[in-house]
Amino acid sequence: MLFSTKSLLAVGTAIFSQIVTAQNAFPGAVGFGAIATGGNGGTTYHVTTLADSGAGSFRDAVSGSNRNIVFDVSGYIVLKSAVSLSSSITINGQTAPAPGIGIMAGEVSASDKSNIIIRNLRMRQGNLDPATGKSAFNMGGAKNVILDHCSVAYGQWDSIDGVGVTNITISNSIIAFPIGQQFGAHIEGNQATYYGNLWVSGHNRQPLSKANSQYINNVVYNYQAAYTVANTGGIFNHDIINNYFIAGPSTTTVSNYYYQVNAGQSVYAKGNYADTSKDGVFNGALENKVGSAVVLTAPWASDSAAMASRSAADAYTYVLANAGASPRDEVDAFAVSTVQSLGKSGVIYTNQASTGLSNGGYGTL
């Protein structure tokens, strides 16, 4: 994103600068959350420490609205408690020096906030957080939120939780290895877009979408249940286009790539594939029959067809190469390599340490 800097002043170890931009979200943003304004037109805050709190910390950075947050440090920020975001902020994880920035051991919450843009941020709760009823990222009651190129893992309640949301996008992200309930994302509310994401080794909710939804160019691996609506979820429209579902060792019922999508739902499904053979070969078949839902003959959302620019097979290649925070780290590389086994490897974990990765399973940044 390009900004025009007007002024610069130092406040302790934090630095603010006035910025001006006419854009919502960022160039290339898609879906309902792309209308988020974030910290556009606000001040730039430089995160200068990995400390949990204090001047220059991430917690201090997100404590005020109208901020564009950049990172002068890399590594993990280990939370001592959940951190609450303010409205109208942009979190630019891509500005961190290599190997990037991550949040671990607590929940990042945008609950009841609005106009939030989060890019290239790793959010990995794990069981170092004693709050088992919290998630890696919570946006309950939020509106106009976009997560792009984020890496969300080890959520205890859900990896991503959002009940009562309006206009959200989760795009180009990796949602992997949920623990606790072992759920990917629970979204209820108005309009939701899931685009170009990689979902790995979740028991269910990949996502659970009780909303008018766009689900386009996603890849789901080692599911027990993938795209879910739930029979008590209300009546919604769903555009499900050019996604790839791949069964893994934990997949007990391979046909659960669509789960609990009842006759109250209306679905436009096209170009979706499921590889259920678990044989290490990329050889899926078309699967566009979605439960007992009403069949739509055209997408309900006006931009869904244009958004579905990649076939399911092309989405598999693109998502595995590009999803998640950049640069790709140990946890995300492990997630991708698990998918590349094409049915031969994969575990639905109960804690991050069981992955065998460094730093107690969180990986090293």
Side-chain angles (χ1 to χ4, degrees):
M1 196 184 305
L2 299 177
F3 301 101
S4 173
T5 302
K6 285 189 170 183
S7 64
L8 184 68
L9 65 139
V11 180
T13 57
I15 301 172
F16 297 82
S17 60
Q18 188 67 33
I19 58 171
V20 175
T21 177
Q23 297 167 331
N24 283 2
F26 51 85
V30 299
F32 297 112
I35 65 171
T37 56
N40 294 354
T43 55
T44 295
Y45 186 118
H46 288 246
V47 174
T48 58
T49 177
L50 297 177
D52 171 78
S53 61
S57 69
F58 178 74
R59 190 182 298 273
D60 192 51
V62 300
S63 66
S65 297
N66 301 309
R67 289 180 178 177
N68 184 64
I69 297 164
V70 299
F71 295 86
D72 297 346
V73 292
S74 61
Y76 270 123
I77 298 165
V78 183
L79 296 181
K80 297 179 180 178
S81 62
V83 61
S84 296
L85 309 183
S86 299
S87 294
S88 300
I89 61 172
T90 299
I91 299 172
N92 295 289
Q94 72 274 16
T95 60
I101 196 75
I103 311 293
M104 63 176 275
E107 180 182 81
V108 177
S109 176
S111 180
D112 296 320
K113 300 304 192 294
S114 63
N115 290 318
I116 293 174
I117 301 167
I118 305 177
R119 304 183 72 190
N120 275 274
L121 184 68
R122 300 159 184 85
M123 292 175 277
R124 294 171 178 152
Q125 181 191 16
N127 60 14
L128 288 183
D129 184 0
T132 58
K134 291 188 179 295
S135 302
F137 180 69
N138 172 28
M139 55 177 160
K143 64 179 180 180
N144 301 349
V145 177
I146 183 167
L147 275 66
D148 182 69
H149 283 285
C150 289
S151 297
V152 187
Y154 309 140
Q156 294 197 61
W157 191 252
D158 293 294
S159 288
I160 300 172
D161 194 53
V163 177
V165 299
T166 301
N167 293 334
I168 65 109
T169 291
I170 303 167
S171 58
N172 302 305
S173 294
I174 295 177
I175 303 98
F177 311 132
I179 61 175
Q181 290 199 112
Q182 302 170 322
F183 291 153
H186 176 188
I187 304 298
E188 297 188 32
N190 194 347
Q191 299 182 138
T193 301
Y194 317 90
Y195 173 78
N197 302 300
L198 181 62
W199 309 76
V200 185
S201 291
H203 164 61
N204 198 344
R205 300 182 180 178
Q206 298 177 96
L208 167 60
S209 194
K210 301 180 183 182
N212 293 322
S213 303
Q214 298 169 298
Y215 190 71
I216 298 170
N217 283 164
N218 294 273
V219 177
V220 187
Y221 179 74
N222 197 34
Y223 57 89
Q224 290 186 327
Y227 190 87
T228 303
V229 177
N231 295 329
T232 59
I235 298 172
F236 302 105
N237 299 309
H238 309 262
D239 289 339
I240 304 175
I241 308 173
N242 295 358
N243 302 284
Y244 223 112
F245 305 93
I246 305 171
S250 306
T251 306
T252 51
T253 304
V254 296
S255 61
N256 281 348
Y257 31 82
Y258 309 122
Y259 188 65
Q260 293 182 338
V261 186
N262 65 17
Q265 309 305 313
S266 296
V267 174
Y268 177 78
K270 182 179 180 181
N272 301 291
Y273 279 74
D275 182 349
T276 61
S277 60
K278 306 184 190 181
D279 61 359
V281 180
F282 188 60
N283 55 2
L286 275 170
E287 295 290 353
N288 292 313
K289 175 68 170 65
V290 184
S292 55
V294 174
V295 176
L296 299 177
T297 58
W300 75 269
S302 60
D303 59 344
S304 288
M307 199 183 304
S309 59
R310 295 181 178 90
S311 69
D314 288 343
Y316 172 85
T317 300
Y318 183 85
V319 167
L320 264 62
N322 294 283
S326 181
R328 184 165 283 173
D329 68 350
E330 184 180 2
V331 176
D332 285 351
F334 177 62
V336 170
S337 67
T338 300
V339 177
Q340 289 172 327
S341 76
L342 294 171
K344 294 295 189 179
S345 68
V347 175
I348 296 178
Y349 294 102
T350 58
N351 65 82
Q352 69 279 350
S354 296
T355 62
L357 302 177
S358 68
N359 192 25
Y362 286 97
T364 301
L365 287 179

